[in-house]
Amino acid sequence: MCTAISYKTKDHYFGRNLDVEKDYGESVVITPRNFGFDFRFAKPLLSHHAIIGTAVVYDGFPLYFDAVNEKGLSMAGLNFPKNALYGSFLSTKENVAPFELIPYILGSCENAADVKAKLSKINIIHCDFSEQLPTTPLHWLISDKNSSLTLECTKDGTKIFDNPFGVLTNNPTFDFHLQNINSYMHLHGGITENKLSPALPFENHSLGTGAFGLPGDFSSISRFVKAVFVKENSVCGDEEKESVSQFFSILQSVAMPKGCVKTSDGKFEYTRYSCCINTDTQTYYYSTYYDRTVRKAELSAADPNGNRLTFIGI
């Protein structure tokens, strides 16, 4: 499970919690403009926008969990089990495997409008990376500094939603989250007003009572609501340090301590890492479960015109 958000102060920020039960050996990876992407079905992308994000690299191919390109377009894949259903090969479209989608989109698009145009021409096809790495069921949050999209492939086909909240978690499908959030429009950051009967002597005993009913469990439905509430009530200045700190605080409000979310095979999902990307400067901030120190990596740390991946330990 995971939570991803898009957030804006003076600059635009994008990031996520990666909630998993194991170590994938991931690291921050910079892909320069001239690193060639050889896709399984689509035409190779030999020259493209530079990218920085967290990935695991197998057989020389970066499998990005989340990333931003040099134009400020950002994207994250989140777990979408049982709902994700990818297509079969279509000769009338360009076929792209799910594990290729982040570099395919970020390599060639500059903003959300570009993404919509690109997605209308492709088919996201079921394809295992290898026998050891089967297809992962995902949906995606894609953001530029002005808007966000949610992309889902289900039994009903490929859907691109405008996402006015700039938030994505996991199941159910995004149209459910759009409907469900309406049940929480009464929440606010103040104290509860006496609406029941002004004649009765009700009294507030605590600050924060305006948020009575805000979900606090770790389900994807509840995390969506809580992330929207915390983000929308967030008060933050424009300075970089304050903005980054506030972004991590929002993510922390929906983070998973180990032991609270048990999988069917007896393991525990936990927030393995959190990241915050300043998409204007392509600065990638990150912290891990066992080291909450916020570190940073910058796209400019590597030659943008190079042809080799740069690895930065996470």
PDB file of all heavy atoms in Angstrom, residues 84-112:
ATOM      1  N   ALA A  84      -6.287  -3.866 -11.017  1.00  0.00           N
ATOM      2  CA  ALA A  84      -5.488  -3.597 -12.211  1.00  0.00           C
ATOM      3  C   ALA A  84      -5.652  -4.729 -13.219  1.00  0.00           C
ATOM      4  O   ALA A  84      -5.468  -5.899 -12.895  1.00  0.00           O
ATOM      5  CB  ALA A  84      -4.018  -3.435 -11.835  1.00  0.00           C
ATOM      6  N   LEU A  85      -5.995  -4.364 -14.437  1.00  0.00           N
ATOM      7  CA  LEU A  85      -6.107  -5.343 -15.520  1.00  0.00           C
ATOM      8  C   LEU A  85      -5.571  -4.693 -16.784  1.00  0.00           C
ATOM      9  O   LEU A  85      -6.181  -3.774 -17.332  1.00  0.00           O
ATOM     10  CB  LEU A  85      -7.565  -5.770 -15.715  1.00  0.00           C
ATOM     11  CG  LEU A  85      -7.806  -6.852 -16.772  1.00  0.00           C
ATOM     12  CD1 LEU A  85      -7.112  -8.158 -16.375  1.00  0.00           C
ATOM     13  CD2 LEU A  85      -9.299  -7.086 -16.982  1.00  0.00           C
ATOM     14  N   TYR A  86      -4.416  -5.171 -17.226  1.00  0.00           N
ATOM     15  CA  TYR A  86      -3.763  -4.594 -18.398  1.00  0.00           C
ATOM     16  C   TYR A  86      -4.240  -5.294 -19.667  1.00  0.00           C
ATOM     17  O   TYR A  86      -4.778  -6.396 -19.631  1.00  0.00           O
ATOM     18  CB  TYR A  86      -2.246  -4.708 -18.249  1.00  0.00           C
ATOM     19  CG  TYR A  86      -1.724  -4.123 -16.957  1.00  0.00           C
ATOM     20  CD1 TYR A  86      -1.024  -4.911 -16.037  1.00  0.00           C
ATOM     21  CD2 TYR A  86      -1.929  -2.783 -16.639  1.00  0.00           C
ATOM     22  CE1 TYR A  86      -0.549  -4.380 -14.857  1.00  0.00           C
ATOM     23  CE2 TYR A  86      -1.449  -2.239 -15.455  1.00  0.00           C
ATOM     24  CZ  TYR A  86      -0.763  -3.043 -14.558  1.00  0.00           C
ATOM     25  OH  TYR A  86      -0.300  -2.511 -13.387  1.00  0.00           O
ATOM     26  N   GLY A  87      -4.019  -4.637 -20.800  1.00  0.00           N
ATOM     27  CA  GLY A  87      -4.548  -5.118 -22.057  1.00  0.00           C
ATOM     28  C   GLY A  87      -3.694  -6.164 -22.749  1.00  0.00           C
ATOM     29  O   GLY A  87      -2.594  -6.518 -22.301  1.00  0.00           O
ATOM     30  N   SER A  88      -4.200  -6.638 -23.868  1.00  0.00           N
ATOM     31  CA  SER A  88      -3.460  -7.522 -24.771  1.00  0.00           C
ATOM     32  C   SER A  88      -2.859  -6.673 -25.892  1.00  0.00           C
ATOM     33  O   SER A  88      -3.244  -5.515 -26.088  1.00  0.00           O
ATOM     34  CB  SER A  88      -4.397  -8.580 -25.361  1.00  0.00           C
ATOM     35  OG  SER A  88      -4.987  -9.353 -24.345  1.00  0.00           O
ATOM     36  N   PHE A  89      -1.943  -7.244 -26.621  1.00  0.00           N
ATOM     37  CA  PHE A  89      -1.255  -6.518 -27.685  1.00  0.00           C
ATOM     38  C   PHE A  89      -2.247  -5.981 -28.723  1.00  0.00           C
ATOM     39  O   PHE A  89      -3.157  -6.685 -29.166  1.00  0.00           O
ATOM     40  CB  PHE A  89      -0.243  -7.436 -28.377  1.00  0.00           C
ATOM     41  CG  PHE A  89       0.583  -6.743 -29.425  1.00  0.00           C
ATOM     42  CD1 PHE A  89       1.762  -6.106 -29.081  1.00  0.00           C
ATOM     43  CD2 PHE A  89       0.156  -6.722 -30.753  1.00  0.00           C
ATOM     44  CE1 PHE A  89       2.524  -5.462 -30.053  1.00  0.00           C
ATOM     45  CE2 PHE A  89       0.911  -6.076 -31.725  1.00  0.00           C
ATOM     46  CZ  PHE A  89       2.089  -5.445 -31.372  1.00  0.00           C
ATOM     47  N   LEU A  90      -2.070  -4.709 -29.076  1.00  0.00           N
ATOM     48  CA  LEU A  90      -2.885  -4.073 -30.108  1.00  0.00           C
ATOM     49  C   LEU A  90      -1.980  -3.496 -31.182  1.00  0.00           C
ATOM     50  O   LEU A  90      -1.127  -2.645 -30.891  1.00  0.00           O
ATOM     51  CB  LEU A  90      -3.748  -2.954 -29.519  1.00  0.00           C
ATOM     52  CG  LEU A  90      -4.864  -3.344 -28.551  1.00  0.00           C
ATOM     53  CD1 LEU A  90      -5.531  -2.099 -27.985  1.00  0.00           C
ATOM     54  CD2 LEU A  90      -5.906  -4.225 -29.253  1.00  0.00           C
ATOM     55  N   SER A  91      -2.151  -3.941 -32.398  1.00  0.00           N
ATOM     56  CA  SER A  91      -1.298  -3.463 -33.483  1.00  0.00           C
ATOM     57  C   SER A  91      -1.594  -2.017 -33.860  1.00  0.00           C
ATOM     58  O   SER A  91      -0.780  -1.346 -34.500  1.00  0.00           O
ATOM     59  CB  SER A  91      -1.467  -4.357 -34.723  1.00  0.00           C
ATOM     60  OG  SER A  91      -2.817  -4.348 -35.154  1.00  0.00           O
ATOM     61  N   THR A  92      -2.755  -1.504 -33.427  1.00  0.00           N
ATOM     62  CA  THR A  92      -3.157  -0.143 -33.785  1.00  0.00           C
ATOM     63  C   THR A  92      -2.620   0.913 -32.819  1.00  0.00           C
ATOM     64  O   THR A  92      -2.799   2.109 -33.041  1.00  0.00           O
ATOM     65  CB  THR A  92      -4.688  -0.039 -33.819  1.00  0.00           C
ATOM     66  OG1 THR A  92      -5.210  -0.474 -32.550  1.00  0.00           O
ATOM     67  CG2 THR A  92      -5.260  -0.891 -34.931  1.00  0.00           C
ATOM     68  N   LYS A  93      -1.977   0.466 -31.734  1.00  0.00           N
ATOM     69  CA  LYS A  93      -1.456   1.405 -30.741  1.00  0.00           C
ATOM     70  C   LYS A  93      -0.019   1.038 -30.383  1.00  0.00           C
ATOM     71  O   LYS A  93       0.470  -0.053 -30.719  1.00  0.00           O
ATOM     72  CB  LYS A  93      -2.328   1.405 -29.483  1.00  0.00           C
ATOM     73  CG  LYS A  93      -3.706   2.006 -29.710  1.00  0.00           C
ATOM     74  CD  LYS A  93      -4.336   2.450 -28.413  1.00  0.00           C
ATOM     75  CE  LYS A  93      -5.613   3.231 -28.655  1.00  0.00           C
ATOM     76  NZ  LYS A  93      -6.191   3.787 -27.414  1.00  0.00           N
ATOM     77  N   GLU A  94       0.643   1.974 -29.696  1.00  0.00           N
ATOM     78  CA  GLU A  94       1.979   1.675 -29.188  1.00  0.00           C
ATOM     79  C   GLU A  94       1.817   0.976 -27.846  1.00  0.00           C
ATOM     80  O   GLU A  94       1.187   1.505 -26.929  1.00  0.00           O
ATOM     81  CB  GLU A  94       2.808   2.949 -29.040  1.00  0.00           C
ATOM     82  CG  GLU A  94       4.264   2.662 -28.724  1.00  0.00           C
ATOM     83  CD  GLU A  94       5.189   3.748 -29.250  1.00  0.00           C
ATOM     84  OE1 GLU A  94       4.948   4.923 -28.920  1.00  0.00           O
ATOM     85  OE2 GLU A  94       6.153   3.412 -29.966  1.00  0.00           O
ATOM     86  N   ASN A  95       2.380  -0.218 -27.742  1.00  0.00           N
ATOM     87  CA  ASN A  95       2.182  -1.057 -26.567  1.00  0.00           C
ATOM     88  C   ASN A  95       3.307  -0.830 -25.565  1.00  0.00           C
ATOM     89  O   ASN A  95       4.483  -0.943 -25.904  1.00  0.00           O
ATOM     90  CB  ASN A  95       2.119  -2.532 -26.987  1.00  0.00           C
ATOM     91  CG  ASN A  95       0.925  -2.818 -27.878  1.00  0.00           C
ATOM     92  OD1 ASN A  95      -0.175  -3.054 -27.391  1.00  0.00           O
ATOM     93  ND2 ASN A  95       1.129  -2.787 -29.193  1.00  0.00           N
ATOM     94  N   VAL A  96       2.918  -0.530 -24.330  1.00  0.00           N
ATOM     95  CA  VAL A  96       3.882  -0.201 -23.277  1.00  0.00           C
ATOM     96  C   VAL A  96       3.597  -1.078 -22.065  1.00  0.00           C
ATOM     97  O   VAL A  96       2.449  -1.179 -21.613  1.00  0.00           O
ATOM     98  CB  VAL A  96       3.789   1.287 -22.889  1.00  0.00           C
ATOM     99  CG1 VAL A  96       4.799   1.623 -21.793  1.00  0.00           C
ATOM    100  CG2 VAL A  96       4.013   2.179 -24.106  1.00  0.00           C
ATOM    101  N   ALA A  97       4.630  -1.712 -21.528  1.00  0.00           N
ATOM    102  CA  ALA A  97       4.483  -2.530 -20.330  1.00  0.00           C
ATOM    103  C   ALA A  97       4.357  -1.633 -19.096  1.00  0.00           C
ATOM    104  O   ALA A  97       4.895  -0.520 -19.075  1.00  0.00           O
ATOM    105  CB  ALA A  97       5.684  -3.459 -20.182  1.00  0.00           C
ATOM    106  N   PRO A  98       3.649  -2.087 -18.057  1.00  0.00           N
ATOM    107  CA  PRO A  98       3.491  -1.257 -16.856  1.00  0.00           C
ATOM    108  C   PRO A  98       4.814  -0.809 -16.242  1.00  0.00           C
ATOM    109  O   PRO A  98       4.942   0.332 -15.784  1.00  0.00           O
ATOM    110  CB  PRO A  98       2.715  -2.164 -15.899  1.00  0.00           C
ATOM    111  CG  PRO A  98       1.977  -3.099 -16.788  1.00  0.00           C
ATOM    112  CD  PRO A  98       2.878  -3.342 -17.958  1.00  0.00           C
ATOM    113  N   PHE A  99       5.820  -1.689 -16.246  1.00  0.00           N
ATOM    114  CA  PHE A  99       7.101  -1.334 -15.636  1.00  0.00           C
ATOM    115  C   PHE A  99       7.873  -0.311 -16.477  1.00  0.00           C
ATOM    116  O   PHE A  99       8.840   0.284 -15.997  1.00  0.00           O
ATOM    117  CB  PHE A  99       7.948  -2.586 -15.390  1.00  0.00           C
ATOM    118  CG  PHE A  99       8.307  -3.375 -16.623  1.00  0.00           C
ATOM    119  CD1 PHE A  99       9.372  -3.003 -17.425  1.00  0.00           C
ATOM    120  CD2 PHE A  99       7.575  -4.499 -16.970  1.00  0.00           C
ATOM    121  CE1 PHE A  99       9.712  -3.729 -18.560  1.00  0.00           C
ATOM    122  CE2 PHE A  99       7.894  -5.240 -18.106  1.00  0.00           C
ATOM    123  CZ  PHE A  99       8.963  -4.846 -18.899  1.00  0.00           C
ATOM    124  N   GLU A 100       7.452  -0.095 -17.700  1.00  0.00           N
ATOM    125  CA  GLU A 100       8.083   0.896 -18.575  1.00  0.00           C
ATOM    126  C   GLU A 100       7.398   2.260 -18.529  1.00  0.00           C
ATOM    127  O   GLU A 100       7.908   3.248 -19.063  1.00  0.00           O
ATOM    128  CB  GLU A 100       8.049   0.412 -20.025  1.00  0.00           C
ATOM    129  CG  GLU A 100       8.756  -0.898 -20.283  1.00  0.00           C
ATOM    130  CD  GLU A 100       8.480  -1.451 -21.668  1.00  0.00           C
ATOM    131  OE1 GLU A 100       7.386  -1.157 -22.225  1.00  0.00           O
ATOM    132  OE2 GLU A 100       9.332  -2.193 -22.202  1.00  0.00           O
ATOM    133  N   LEU A 101       6.233   2.309 -17.890  1.00  0.00           N
ATOM    134  CA  LEU A 101       5.371   3.475 -18.074  1.00  0.00           C
ATOM    135  C   LEU A 101       5.973   4.769 -17.524  1.00  0.00           C
ATOM    136  O   LEU A 101       5.866   5.826 -18.162  1.00  0.00           O
ATOM    137  CB  LEU A 101       4.009   3.214 -17.430  1.00  0.00           C
ATOM    138  CG  LEU A 101       2.907   4.194 -17.825  1.00  0.00           C
ATOM    139  CD1 LEU A 101       2.662   4.161 -19.327  1.00  0.00           C
ATOM    140  CD2 LEU A 101       1.618   3.885 -17.068  1.00  0.00           C
ATOM    141  N   ILE A 102       6.604   4.719 -16.354  1.00  0.00           N
ATOM    142  CA  ILE A 102       7.166   5.958 -15.794  1.00  0.00           C
ATOM    143  C   ILE A 102       8.262   6.524 -16.696  1.00  0.00           C
ATOM    144  O   ILE A 102       8.201   7.708 -17.063  1.00  0.00           O
ATOM    145  CB  ILE A 102       7.628   5.751 -14.339  1.00  0.00           C
ATOM    146  CG1 ILE A 102       6.403   5.581 -13.422  1.00  0.00           C
ATOM    147  CG2 ILE A 102       8.496   6.923 -13.863  1.00  0.00           C
ATOM    148  CD1 ILE A 102       6.726   5.399 -11.957  1.00  0.00           C
ATOM    149  N   PRO A 103       9.267   5.755 -17.102  1.00  0.00           N
ATOM    150  CA  PRO A 103      10.250   6.348 -18.021  1.00  0.00           C
ATOM    151  C   PRO A 103       9.661   6.716 -19.374  1.00  0.00           C
ATOM    152  O   PRO A 103      10.097   7.697 -19.994  1.00  0.00           O
ATOM    153  CB  PRO A 103      11.327   5.266 -18.151  1.00  0.00           C
ATOM    154  CG  PRO A 103      10.708   4.013 -17.678  1.00  0.00           C
ATOM    155  CD  PRO A 103       9.686   4.414 -16.651  1.00  0.00           C
ATOM    156  N   TYR A 104       8.671   5.960 -19.842  1.00  0.00           N
ATOM    157  CA  TYR A 104       8.044   6.268 -21.127  1.00  0.00           C
ATOM    158  C   TYR A 104       7.344   7.630 -21.064  1.00  0.00           C
ATOM    159  O   TYR A 104       7.497   8.462 -21.968  1.00  0.00           O
ATOM    160  CB  TYR A 104       7.045   5.164 -21.488  1.00  0.00           C
ATOM    161  CG  TYR A 104       6.393   5.341 -22.840  1.00  0.00           C
ATOM    162  CD1 TYR A 104       6.983   4.830 -23.990  1.00  0.00           C
ATOM    163  CD2 TYR A 104       5.186   6.022 -22.964  1.00  0.00           C
ATOM    164  CE1 TYR A 104       6.382   4.995 -25.240  1.00  0.00           C
ATOM    165  CE2 TYR A 104       4.579   6.189 -24.197  1.00  0.00           C
ATOM    166  CZ  TYR A 104       5.180   5.684 -25.335  1.00  0.00           C
ATOM    167  OH  TYR A 104       4.586   5.863 -26.564  1.00  0.00           O
ATOM    168  N   ILE A 105       6.588   7.864 -20.007  1.00  0.00           N
ATOM    169  CA  ILE A 105       5.852   9.124 -19.867  1.00  0.00           C
ATOM    170  C   ILE A 105       6.791  10.274 -19.522  1.00  0.00           C
ATOM    171  O   ILE A 105       6.773  11.336 -20.168  1.00  0.00           O
ATOM    172  CB  ILE A 105       4.747   8.999 -18.807  1.00  0.00           C
ATOM    173  CG1 ILE A 105       3.665   8.019 -19.272  1.00  0.00           C
ATOM    174  CG2 ILE A 105       4.150  10.361 -18.468  1.00  0.00           C
ATOM    175  CD1 ILE A 105       2.894   8.466 -20.481  1.00  0.00           C
ATOM    176  N   LEU A 106       7.611  10.090 -18.500  1.00  0.00           N
ATOM    177  CA  LEU A 106       8.477  11.189 -18.073  1.00  0.00           C
ATOM    178  C   LEU A 106       9.576  11.477 -19.087  1.00  0.00           C
ATOM    179  O   LEU A 106      10.070  12.603 -19.167  1.00  0.00           O
ATOM    180  CB  LEU A 106       9.107  10.874 -16.714  1.00  0.00           C
ATOM    181  CG  LEU A 106       8.141  10.752 -15.532  1.00  0.00           C
ATOM    182  CD1 LEU A 106       8.912  10.633 -14.225  1.00  0.00           C
ATOM    183  CD2 LEU A 106       7.168  11.929 -15.461  1.00  0.00           C
ATOM    184  N   GLY A 107       9.934  10.482 -19.866  1.00  0.00           N
ATOM    185  CA  GLY A 107      10.959  10.702 -20.875  1.00  0.00           C
ATOM    186  C   GLY A 107      10.500  11.568 -22.025  1.00  0.00           C
ATOM    187  O   GLY A 107      11.309  12.237 -22.675  1.00  0.00           O
ATOM    188  N   SER A 108       9.179  11.601 -22.266  1.00  0.00           N
ATOM    189  CA  SER A 108       8.698  12.265 -23.481  1.00  0.00           C
ATOM    190  C   SER A 108       7.673  13.367 -23.254  1.00  0.00           C
ATOM    191  O   SER A 108       7.316  14.072 -24.196  1.00  0.00           O
ATOM    192  CB  SER A 108       8.087  11.215 -24.416  1.00  0.00           C
ATOM    193  OG  SER A 108       7.062  10.488 -23.761  1.00  0.00           O
ATOM    194  N   CYS A 109       7.173  13.533 -22.018  1.00  0.00           N
ATOM    195  CA  CYS A 109       6.124  14.522 -21.756  1.00  0.00           C
ATOM    196  C   CYS A 109       6.633  15.649 -20.857  1.00  0.00           C
ATOM    197  O   CYS A 109       7.529  15.441 -20.038  1.00  0.00           O
ATOM    198  CB  CYS A 109       4.919  13.859 -21.087  1.00  0.00           C
ATOM    199  SG  CYS A 109       4.103  12.604 -22.103  1.00  0.00           S
ATOM    200  N   GLU A 110       6.023  16.830 -21.013  1.00  0.00           N
ATOM    201  CA  GLU A 110       6.422  17.988 -20.218  1.00  0.00           C
ATOM    202  C   GLU A 110       5.377  18.387 -19.193  1.00  0.00           C
ATOM    203  O   GLU A 110       5.711  19.025 -18.193  1.00  0.00           O
ATOM    204  CB  GLU A 110       6.714  19.189 -21.127  1.00  0.00           C
ATOM    205  CG  GLU A 110       7.902  18.989 -22.042  1.00  0.00           C
ATOM    206  CD  GLU A 110       8.299  20.269 -22.759  1.00  0.00           C
ATOM    207  OE1 GLU A 110       7.818  21.356 -22.351  1.00  0.00           O
ATOM    208  OE2 GLU A 110       9.093  20.185 -23.709  1.00  0.00           O
ATOM    209  N   ASN A 111       4.113  18.036 -19.423  1.00  0.00           N
ATOM    210  CA  ASN A 111       3.056  18.464 -18.521  1.00  0.00           C
ATOM    211  C   ASN A 111       1.868  17.511 -18.632  1.00  0.00           C
ATOM    212  O   ASN A 111       1.888  16.558 -19.432  1.00  0.00           O
ATOM    213  CB  ASN A 111       2.631  19.904 -18.833  1.00  0.00           C
ATOM    214  CG  ASN A 111       2.299  20.103 -20.302  1.00  0.00           C
ATOM    215  OD1 ASN A 111       1.581  19.307 -20.903  1.00  0.00           O
ATOM    216  ND2 ASN A 111       2.851  21.156 -20.912  1.00  0.00           N
ATOM    217  N   ALA A 112       0.829  17.776 -17.833  1.00  0.00           N
ATOM    218  CA  ALA A 112      -0.327  16.880 -17.795  1.00  0.00           C
ATOM    219  C   ALA A 112      -1.047  16.819 -19.133  1.00  0.00           C
ATOM    220  O   ALA A 112      -1.568  15.762 -19.517  1.00  0.00           O
ATOM    221  CB  ALA A 112      -1.283  17.320 -16.685  1.00  0.00           C
TER     222      ALA A 112
END
